[in-house]
Amino acid sequence: MATQFRRALQHALLDNPERFGLREAALNVGQRLIAVLDDLRQPDPPILRDLPGQDPADSADEFVRRFVAEVGGDGRLVVDAVSRRAARAIAERLVSPAGPLADPARPQRVTGELFCTLYRLFFGELVGEFVHVLIAENVKLAVPVLAFDPTDTVAGFVADQVVKLLPDPCATATAREPGQSRLAEVARDLLTETVTEALGLGDTGLEVAA
C-alpha cells in the first residue's frame, strides 16, 4: 500500500509538477535547511546562541523550536505544515542522545557525514509526511480508500525508500577536486536534482521498490 501511495503521488505530480505546491515548497525549504545545517558546522552558530543552559532538556526543546521555525517557516498551507514536521524530525535527530546537540548549550559541530545524512533524510521525511497527510485527509489519487489507518508505517516506509534514490552531497564533493567547493555549495548545486528525484519527477528510471 505504501508503494501505491508513493506511485500515485508521483503520477499526480508528473501530470502537474506544481500540484499541491510541493515542488516549490521543497526547493525553498531545502535552501533553508542547507543554510542552518551549514551554520551548525561553523563556530558559534546563531541558532545556538542564548539557549537556556541550566537544563539540557530545556536547551534541546528550544533548539528544536528554533530549527523548525528557521527551516519550516511560518506558512499556513498544508505543504508548510509538512515541511515543519520534516524539520522537526531532523532537529530531534540532532538532539538525540547520540546526536551532536544532545546538550545544545554545549554543542559539538555537525560533521560533513552527518550533514549529508540529514540532508537526504529530510527530503525522505518530507515526502513521507506528505503521503501521511494524503492518507489522513483521505485524498483520493489513484488508490482506494484505506480501511485502516497505517499512516506512520506508510510514511516511514516511503521516507526510507525515497532516501535511497537521492544524490549524496558527500559523494559528489569527493568526486570534485579537493577544495573546489564547500559542502553546502555542493548541496545547493544538487538541490533541484534532489527534489526532482524525491518527488519522482526525474528521468533516471529509479522508483520506490515494491
Side-chain angles (χ1 to χ4, degrees), residues 33-53:
L33 173 78
I34 293 166
V36 175
L37 290 179
D38 188 45
D39 280 349
L40 290 171
R41 301 195 67 214
Q42 314 306 321
D44 190 28
I47 198 171
L48 296 181
R49 292 174 190 165
D50 302 318
L51 289 170

Side-chain angles (χ1 to χ4, degrees), residues 4 6 10 32 38 56 84 114-115 128 137 162 171 207:
Q4 285 182 282
R6 162 67 177 161
Q10 177 184 15
R32 297 195 294 269
D38 188 45
R84 286 191 287 272
L114 183 58
F115 175 103
E137 297 298 325
V162 166
E207 64 175 34

Side-chain angles (χ1 to χ4, degrees), residues 40-183:
L40 290 171
R41 301 195 67 214
Q42 314 306 321
D44 190 28
I47 198 171
L48 296 181
R49 292 174 190 165
D50 302 318
L51 289 170
Q54 297 301 314
D55 185 345
D58 290 343
S59 295
D61 287 346
E62 175 60 15
F63 168 76
V64 170
R65 187 196 68 76
R66 293 181 185 182
F67 189 95
V68 171
E70 286 282 335
V71 174
D74 58 1
R76 298 183 180 182
L77 300 178
V78 170
V79 291
D80 299 313
V82 168
S83 296
R84 286 191 287 272
R85 289 185 64 162
R88 176 172 292 277
I90 299 306
E92 288 174 349
R93 284 178 178 264
L94 286 165
V95 299
S96 68
L101 306 180
D103 181 356
R106 299 167 182 80
Q108 300 177 33
R109 291 193 202 179
V110 169
T111 64
E113 180 180 5
L114 183 58
F115 175 103
C116 295
T117 297
L118 295 179
Y119 171 86
R120 298 170 79 225
L121 283 174
F122 174 81
F123 291 100
E125 291 285 346
L126 185 72
V127 176
E129 289 291 347
F130 197 78
V131 169
H132 179 116
V133 169
L134 293 180
I135 297 171
E137 297 298 325
N138 202 18
V139 176
K140 295 180 183 179
L141 293 176
V143 293
V145 177
L146 296 181
F148 56 101
D149 184 28
T151 51
D152 290 335
T153 300
V154 171
F157 177 90
V158 170
D160 289 345
Q161 293 299 311
V162 166
V163 168
K164 297 176 183 178
L165 309 181
L166 303 182
D168 183 350
C170 288
T172 300
T174 299
R176 295 183 179 182
E177 294 181 10
Q180 186 178 27
S181 55
R182 295 173 59 244
L183 191 54

